[in-house]
Structures are given as structure tokens and as C-alpha cells.
Amino acid sequence: MLNFFKKHKLFVFLPLAFALYSLAFQDAKIFWYMYTFALLVLMSFSVIFTKVFDEMATWKSLIYGLGYGTAIYAIIAGGFQLFKLLSFNIEGSVSSFISTFAPSSIWHYLLLMFIIVPGEEIFWRGFVQQKLKSYVSTTYSVLIAALLFGLALGFGGFVPGIFAGVATGIVLGFLYEWKRSMPLLIIAHLVMIVLLFLVLPLPV
């Protein structure tokens, strides 16, 4: 049994990830502490057990990151408008989630920049997605990793967030396979968050 888990580390760290995400979302008062801890743990193990690619010049990562981060924001904003057109009560759900879990101070954004976003990308795209390629094709590994990422975010009780997580995971997952640059993913993810919560928040 021990040898099995040594060979198939994904089956150890996926349950751990879901347990940590569930724990983080249980209490909004300590969410930022627990979520940061969760991503520190997952990122640390990921760096140990997988190779993180950085095969792109810094200036190219910045340019692509700005473009793809904006594109991801557009997808999320478009999905929000679609849900509104379909008469789902998405405004109330989004408003409740933002008031509970959205970044609201400078130190929240610092945690996002230096720990949370890098941790999410290194774990979900760098570790989970790459390990899945041992079992399925690259395309399926991207799709499955994106779905798992969305489901993990679902522990916040925010169903639209699952769809946003899956969409984000798909774009970033294929981008990682294409450009092989973790800094690019981190920049794109951060750009999306800045647009979503600071520059052009959803109209709720």
C-alpha cells in the first residue's frame, strides 16, 4: 500500500487538498489564515514532487499574462451576464460571496500575490495537471484538473464560483501546456483578480 501511494502521489495529495480547502472555507473569520496555510502546504509538496516549468522570457510572460488575465476576466464577466439573462439569482449569490471571502485589505492582496495565487497555480496546474498526464491524455488532464480546481472552490458554497474556477483552470491549463511558463500563469491569474475585485468588479 505504501509503495502504491509513493508511486501515485496524486491519490495522496488530492484528498489532502480537498480537506484543506474544506477547512479553510468553514469559518469566514479565519478564512485568509487557513487558505494561506492550505496553499503553503500544497505548494511546498508540489515543488518537491514535480518540476515547475519556466521556459518563457520575463517580458513575454508579462505581455501574455496581461492579455490572458484580461481574457479570463472577460469570460467570467460574460458568464455572469449569461446567468443574469437566464434569470438565475446570481447577483445575490455573488454579493454574498464577495462580502464574505473577497480580498478587502492590502495584506489580502499581498497574500494573493506571494502565496495564494502562486500556490494555486503550482499545485493545480504544476502538480495535479502534470501527474494526471500519467493516466490520461494532455487534453483530459487539463480538463480534469480544471474540474477538480472548480470543485475545490465549491467548498465556499458559491456554485457560480465552481464554473468560474473550471473556466479559469481550462484557460490556464492549456496555456501552461502551450507556453510552459508558471510565471505567465501567476501573472494572468493576478491580472484577473485585480480586474475582478478592484478595477471592474461585477455589478451586483
Side-chain angles (χ1 to χ4, degrees), residues 26-179:
Q26 278 186 7
D27 189 346
K29 294 179 181 178
I30 58 171
F31 166 75
W32 284 97
Y33 302 101
M34 293 305 302
Y35 200 59
T36 301
F37 169 75
L39 270 303
L40 271 174
V41 171
L42 297 174
M43 178 169 55
S44 300
F45 283 122
S46 299
V47 170
I48 293 170
F49 293 117
T50 194
K51 180 181 178 181
V52 177
F53 295 102
D54 180 11
E55 300 178 3
M56 199 173 189
T58 302
W59 68 270
K60 287 186 178 180
S61 294
L62 288 169
I63 293 173
Y64 275 89
L66 287 168
Y68 278 93
T70 303
I72 294 169
Y73 166 80
I75 292 171
I76 293 173
F80 174 79
Q81 294 299 331
L82 178 61
F83 273 98
K84 285 180 66 176
L85 288 174
L86 294 174
S87 299
F88 290 101
N89 182 29
I90 191 170
E91 294 98 328
S93 181
V94 171
S95 178
S96 175
F97 180 83
I98 288 175
S99 65
T100 305
F101 295 112
S104 58
S105 68
I106 186 64
W107 78 273
H108 288 166
Y109 284 97
L110 290 174
L111 289 175
L112 283 166
M113 182 182 299
F114 293 108
I115 298 176
I116 293 173
V117 168
E120 286 185 336
E121 293 309 318
I122 289 171
F123 180 72
W124 294 106
R125 258 62 70 182
F127 177 77
V128 174
Q129 182 172 302
Q130 301 312 304
K131 293 300 181 184
L132 281 169
K133 288 160 68 174
S134 300
Y135 308 97
V136 296
S137 68
T138 297
T139 298
Y140 280 115
S141 71
V142 170
L143 298 177
I144 294 170
L147 177 61
L148 291 169
F149 176 55
L151 291 175
L153 295 177
F155 283 110
F158 181 52
V159 175
I162 298 175
F163 293 99
V166 171
T168 300
I170 290 173
V171 174
L172 293 177
F174 281 116
L175 189 59
Y176 192 49
E177 296 301 327
W178 177 34
K179 293 298 183 181

Side-chain angles (χ1 to χ4, degrees), residues 1-16:
M1 180 66 74
L2 185 60
N3 287 333
F4 173 84
F5 285 120
K6 284 183 179 180
K7 186 176 180 181
H8 303 280
K9 297 178 179 66
L10 193 61
F11 296 100
V12 175
F13 293 112
L14 270 178
L16 174 63

